[in-house]
Amino acid sequence: MIGNNPHKKLTRFEGLSFASGDLYGGGAQTMIAFFYLRFLTDMVGLQPGLAALIIAISKIWDAVSDPLMGVITDNTRSRWGRRKPWFLVGFFAIIIAMFLLWLPVQFENTSFRAAFVLFSYLFYSTVQTIIMVPYSAMSAEISMDYEERNFVNGSRLLFSQLSTLLAAVLPLTIVSAFADARIGYNVMALVFGVFYALPFLLIFLICNERVPEPGEKARFDIRLFVKPLKLRSFRLLIAMYLGAFLMMDIISAVFTYYMDYFLLRPKELEYVLGTLLIVSTCLVPLVIYLANRLGKAKSFFIFLAVWLLGIALISQVNTNWPNWSIYVIAAIMGIGTTGGIVTPWIMYPDVTDVGELVFGKRVSGSFSGLMTFFRKLSGALAIFIVGQILQFAGYRIPIQEMTGGKLVVTKFLQPESVIISLRLIVAVIPLFLLGVVFFAARRYPLTRELHTRLVNVLKFKRGEQPETPAIKADEEELIRVLA
């Protein structure tokens, strides 16, 4: 069993083992984004506005738990390091959390159903925090080499995209294999719970932490949570990250309704999502290559342009277009989505280096706490926005009846106000968010050349190389430009 080993060379096997943790990071969030609101309205029987409100309430807890976990993981001291003990805890917790999250309770009282959903989502959100905050922090500490980091974090997104594909295609396939959808959801939750949990046991056993532990422990202080936001580089990264994921999550939350009630092709949902995500998965190596070749910000613009084209097309498609057109649009959206969600995570470790320069110590846990919080905020905001719009538009939840000991769900035709709302959600909101992301990306200052100089300054400050006049001048300029 491997603990903290700052000087051990990163092997491909170790890098890929660590990257496999994003099977959970990408897949579980995708299942929630695509299917959870529909699960709550059509299986649990909650009104979309109430379901969305429950998810929004949980963000109050996230605002506390995410920064708290950042400080806890920064302060953890063990024979295995600061991050890895939490992965062993997470191995067991993920399975339980997934089962509870997708348990289709059938209480007669709506308040009881709402209370259970709130409890299960809060528990799931807490488990995600316990795992993903240390995991995100360790992604900046598994190597200090620029290209090794790109390999690890690019591989993370490759695993994430693969898991996203499986999470989009398989859940409803598993559920539909059972005559009773309730049993189908139980089996689906257990299968994916085990699938998401296993990588963290592997990381605990295989991977090294390569940044020395600071001698002084941090105190929990809400100011530590907001401290990374003092950095201009990090604020711009958060704007890019939150905008891109919120855009993706809104389209994801509404898409199952869109395919069912507007395009009238519900049975093709998994195939359309599969097309989008297969393209996304295949293009992750291209994102890494362009980030290394052109720079991360420049490559980001290329994918934003493709994403814009996809959004424009999906906002115009209707039932009169050829059947194959939705698959072409899905492929175009897949290209844009890949760069939009992969690139910010490739940028993230570099920004934690800026934090070390400015703050005088490495507090990756605080950075990752914010990243985890904003990622969960994105998913919750998407469900809240879509749910409230559908509620206001008059969405009619299906009727559930027990027939022959089996649960039968009967859907209604939706009013025209719901159909119009679906079209507005996939067109207007994503275009606005794309503008925000473009604005932030234009101002992102950290280039590859600046990062090389930054690493040299950090090596001097850690005592790994002697001071030179150039390093002193670089330190002052880097703080001015990046902070």
Side-chain angles (χ1 to χ4, degrees):
M1 196 173 298
I2 301 171
N4 194 309
N5 194 339
H7 304 295
K8 185 176 177 63
K9 181 175 175 57
L10 178 72
T11 65
R12 287 291 171 122
F13 178 69
E14 183 188 352
L16 291 173
S17 297
F18 179 79
S20 69
D22 246 314
L23 290 172
Y24 172 61
Q29 196 65 34
T30 297
M31 290 175 64
I32 291 174
F34 280 128
F35 306 122
Y36 196 57
L37 181 59
R38 190 74 181 269
F39 168 77
L40 294 181
T41 58
D42 293 11
M43 280 302 301
V44 180
L46 298 181
Q47 289 290 339
L50 176 58
L53 182 61
I54 290 170
I55 305 305
I57 290 173
S58 73
K59 296 307 105 182
I60 299 173
W61 169 237
D62 284 342
V64 176
S65 64
D66 288 345
L68 177 61
M69 190 62 208
V71 176
I72 289 174
T73 186
D74 279 343
N75 286 344
T76 299
R77 300 291 185 269
S78 77
R79 58 180 292 192
W80 303 291
R82 293 189 291 172
R83 319 300 181 191
K84 290 170 50 177
W86 300 103
F87 304 149
L88 186 60
V89 175
F91 170 74
F92 299 100
I94 288 174
I95 299 172
I96 299 171
M98 286 293 293
F99 183 78
L100 293 176
L101 187 69
W102 295 97
L103 186 62
V105 291
Q106 299 294 312
F107 303 127
E108 289 292 332
N109 191 303
T110 301
S111 298
F112 288 169
R113 279 178 275 146
F116 180 85
V117 170
L118 178 60
F119 164 76
S120 63
Y121 194 84
L122 284 173
F123 181 73
Y124 166 82
S125 188
T126 302
V127 170
Q128 188 182 40
T129 295
I130 288 172
I131 297 164
M132 294 309 296
V133 171
Y135 182 70
S136 298
M138 192 170 166
S139 73
E141 300 171 349
I142 197 164
S143 174
M144 294 302 295
D145 180 81
Y146 185 87
E147 294 198 1
E148 283 184 353
R149 276 183 171 180
N150 285 354
F151 166 73
V152 169
N153 287 288
S155 299
R156 282 181 59 197
L157 273 299
L158 185 61
F159 277 102
S160 178
Q161 290 299 101
L162 174 62
S163 183
T164 296
L165 171 61
L166 297 176
V169 174
L170 291 183
L172 296 187
T173 302
I174 294 174
V175 171
S176 63
F178 294 83
D180 190 330
R182 294 172 300 177
I183 298 175
Y185 274 104
N186 292 158
V187 174
M188 180 273 291
L190 288 174
V191 168
F192 276 94
V194 172
F195 178 65
Y196 294 146
L198 284 174
F200 290 98
L201 184 60
L202 183 65
I203 295 170
F204 177 75
L205 295 173
I206 297 296
C207 296
N208 290 276
E209 298 179 24
R210 286 177 170 78
V211 173
E213 295 176 353
E216 180 184 355
K217 290 188 176 184
R219 294 179 298 105
F220 176 65
D221 188 333
I222 193 62
R223 290 173 296 182
L224 294 175
F225 181 47
V226 300
K227 191 174 184 179
L229 293 174
K230 295 180 180 179
L231 301 179
R232 176 171 174 262
S233 302
F234 189 62
R235 292 196 302 271
L236 291 170
L237 177 63
I238 287 295
M240 296 159 61
Y241 176 73
L242 180 59
F245 272 96
L246 185 56
M247 181 164 45
M248 182 189 73
D249 287 339
I250 285 175
I251 294 175
S252 299
V254 77
F255 202 69
T256 177
Y257 299 97
Y258 190 76
M259 287 290 294
D260 197 342
Y261 296 115
F262 176 65
L263 293 182
L264 307 178
R265 295 160 69 178
K267 294 183 179 179
E268 295 181 61
L269 174 65
E270 291 94 338
Y271 304 118
V272 175
L273 295 180
T275 300
L276 186 154
L277 295 167
I278 286 172
V279 171
S280 294
T281 303
C282 292
L283 286 182
V284 169
L286 177 63
V287 177
I288 300 170
Y289 171 78
L290 291 177
N292 287 330
R293 186 69 181 268
L294 302 178
K296 298 171 185 178
K298 289 182 180 178
S299 66
F300 192 52
F301 287 119
I302 296 174
F303 291 101
L304 287 183
V306 179
W307 211 350
L308 175 62
L309 173 62
I311 291 170
L313 289 172
I314 202 170
S315 68
Q316 297 300 314
V317 68
N318 57 57
T319 53
N320 296 321
W321 286 34
N323 287 342
W324 52 262
S325 62
I326 189 64
Y327 294 95
V328 174
I329 295 171
I332 294 172
M333 289 287 289
I335 297 171
T337 301
T338 304
I341 65 177
V342 170
T343 308
W345 271 115
I346 296 178
M347 293 173 167
Y348 162 73
D350 304 338
V351 176
T352 64
D353 291 339
V354 179
E356 182 178 354
L357 173 67
V358 175
F359 303 140
K361 62 179 179 179
R362 197 164 193 89
V363 288
S364 300
S366 296
F367 280 89
S368 64
L370 276 168
M371 292 289 280
T372 302
F373 171 71
F374 280 113
R375 178 66 191 99
K376 290 193 289 186
L377 178 64
S378 164
L381 277 176
I383 291 176
F384 181 78
I385 291 168
V386 172
Q388 294 299 329
I389 292 175
L390 291 179
Q391 177 83 26
F392 181 77
Y395 177 78
R396 301 179 67 191
I397 63 175
I399 295 175
Q400 299 183 9
E401 298 176 313
M402 294 299 296
T403 304
K406 299 175 182 177
L407 183 69
V408 178
V409 179
T410 304
K411 294 184 294 186
F412 292 104
L413 290 175
Q414 297 298 331
E416 185 65 21
S417 56
V418 171
I419 307 303
I420 294 172
S421 297
L422 294 176
R423 300 201 69 183
L424 290 175
I425 291 169
V426 300
V428 177
I429 299 175
L431 286 175
F432 169 76
L433 292 171
L434 193 64
V436 173
V437 172
F438 181 82
F439 178 85
R442 279 290 298 256
R443 285 156 179 77
Y444 183 75
L446 188 52
T447 65
R448 178 168 185 166
E449 183 268 333
L450 285 178
H451 185 261
T452 300
R453 292 161 60 188
L454 172 60
V455 169
N456 288 332
V457 172
L458 292 179
K459 286 181 178 179
F460 156 69
K461 294 177 76 70
R462 296 179 193 137
E464 297 174 7
Q465 68 182 41
E467 181 180 9
T468 65
I471 286 180
K472 187 63 177 176
D474 278 349
E475 179 178 357
E476 295 174 356
E477 181 183 358
L478 289 169
I479 291 175
R480 177 178 57 81
V481 172
L482 302 177

